[in-house]
Amino acid sequence: MQTQRLDTSPAAIAHAAELLRRGELVAFPTETVYGLGGHALDETAVTAIFTAKGRPASDPLIVHLAHASDLPIVAAATPPLATQLAAAFWPGPLTLILPRHPRVPLAVTAGRETVAVRVPAHPVAHALLVAAGVPVAAPSANRFGHTSPTTADHVLADLAGRIVAVIDGGATPIGIESTVLDCTTTPPTLLRPGGISLEALGAVIGPVQVRNRPPAAEQHGLASPGLLDRHYAPDHELWLFSGPPAAALARLRAEAEAALRAGLRVGVLLPDDDLTFIHDLPVAIESLGPANDPATMAHRLYAALRALDARQPDRMLARDLDDAGLGRALRDRLRRAAARVVEV
Ligand code: TXA
Ligand code: MG
């Protein structure tokens, strides 16, 4: 199968929508990352999504809707709190876990009686969902466990030949995935930090439980299998230095020097402000943007990780980031991408 690259013209979107209705898989941009879309109520299409990604059937998918008012199509009930959240954050990068409507195939929810739902804000995603007229299940459009795609080229690098088409809508603005909030618990539980910060959620609905990630050994029967430790992983190993910035940077530099002495190729992923610490070393560098600008760093994170990875370093080094606001999601993704976290 040759994967078509479609533009964002109304004709191309109408074509993509028709493909989706017929049960084919189409990747498309959202405001967070590219999604690998399939007809959510068509079990064959849903199964094909898992196959294309190489994703275990035990990891449930997010269902994307054109409008918040479509929620009753896929959710059996909408608690008042979910209505409040939808009014505040949809369309946008927030995924709500709600009771599953029986018409949603269990393949979508990996056998659960809950369903993950989101109304994306990206104009191309919105236009596609309106034209398709059906709910669209879409995980991030990467091979399972790999870094999420923020451009159509990233999608093709992972999935060319495995899906019918990708709509090329340029780089996705936010760059990291949606926040996943379980609304079936009281108070609701943050399952994955993402594009909507915990602080922003709290301002609308009050207390939110934060589910701390269990160690890998205890990850059986997880509330959300996407919380698996190693995820969003580059091909080459990433070491993450965590602790007060100055100490973390000093340790990162020392490790870079040691690796260089050992004849290894070293890649470094850092906020702009930190680059002076390593500028005199012969290392490959990808910068994330200003350290005080988490939105820019989120926008660049996955592309920078892929770019550094493509330069084939034996070891990649990064510093842990501050976890206020969007920083919480950034830190989460860096930690999951890391083969090793060095606490300084
Ligand atoms: O921003 C995003 O959310 C992107 C775009 C394409 O919308 N999608 C995305 O999908 O990141 P995916 O499949 O890569 O991540 C979905 C996450 C996983 O961690 C999954 O385990 C969790 O949502 N999830 C889905 N359904 C769930 C459910 N019923 N209960 C708990 N967690 C669920
Ligand atoms: Mg994913």
Side-chain angles (χ1 to χ4, degrees), residues 95-122:
T95 294
L96 302 179
I97 308 293
L98 295 168
R100 176 186 72 97
H101 191 284
R103 74 164 64 85
V104 177
L106 285 166
V108 170
T109 68
R112 288 152 201 262
E113 287 308 330
T114 55
V115 61
V117 192
R118 132 171 153 82
V119 176
H122 195 290

Side-chain angles (χ1 to χ4, degrees), residues 13-270:
I13 287 175
H15 173 57
E18 179 54 31
L19 290 170
L20 284 173
R21 272 197 304 274
R22 272 200 256 139
E24 302 284 0
L25 305 185
V26 177
F28 60 96
T30 80
E31 70 276 31
T32 57
V33 300
Y34 275 72
L36 168 52
H39 190 326
L41 307 183
D42 173 345
E43 191 160 350
T44 310
V46 171
T47 306
I49 293 176
F50 286 92
T51 307
K53 269 196 76 133
R55 175 168 172 139
S58 56
D59 193 357
L61 307 178
I62 298 174
V63 176
H64 297 67
L65 301 174
H67 307 285
S69 56
D70 296 336
L71 204 45
I73 300 172
V74 297
T78 310
L81 188 123
T83 307
Q84 249 178 299
L85 286 163
F89 299 111
W90 282 355
L94 176 65
T95 294
L96 302 179
I97 308 293
L98 295 168
R100 176 186 72 97
H101 191 284
R103 74 164 64 85
V104 177
L106 285 166
V108 170
T109 68
R112 288 152 201 262
E113 287 308 330
T114 55
V115 61
V117 192
R118 132 171 153 82
V119 176
H122 195 290
V124 173
H126 180 71
L128 179 67
L129 289 163
V130 168
V134 296
V136 172
S140 51
N142 50 278
R143 276 187 290 113
F144 179 70
H146 198 205
T147 308
S148 294
T150 58
T151 66
D153 284 341
H154 295 165
V155 174
L156 290 168
D158 274 22
L159 299 175
R162 295 175 153 253
I163 58 176
V164 168
V166 53
I167 305 178
D168 188 347
T172 58
I174 295 176
I176 49 176
E177 301 84 347
S178 63
T179 300
V180 179
L181 186 71
D182 187 348
C183 297
T184 68
T185 63
T186 310
T189 308
L190 180 74
L191 297 179
R192 177 177 75 182
I196 299 288
S197 70
L198 188 60
E199 293 86 341
L201 291 176
V204 172
I205 55 165
V208 171
Q209 301 181 51
V210 176
R211 195 183 161 293
N212 285 319
R213 220 156 32 93
E218 291 166 29
Q219 292 190 340
H220 295 289
L222 277 184
S224 190
L227 300 165
L228 284 175
D229 239 333
R230 285 276 286 152
H231 213 69
Y232 310 97
D235 293 333
H236 299 92
E237 79 175 21
L238 175 72
W239 289 16
L240 185 65
F241 296 86
S242 183
L249 280 166
R251 182 68 187 278
L252 182 151
R253 183 181 165 100
E255 292 289 347
E257 287 172 337
L260 289 167
R261 275 196 304 273
L264 300 181
R265 282 179 315 234
V266 176
V268 169
L269 180 73
L270 285 172

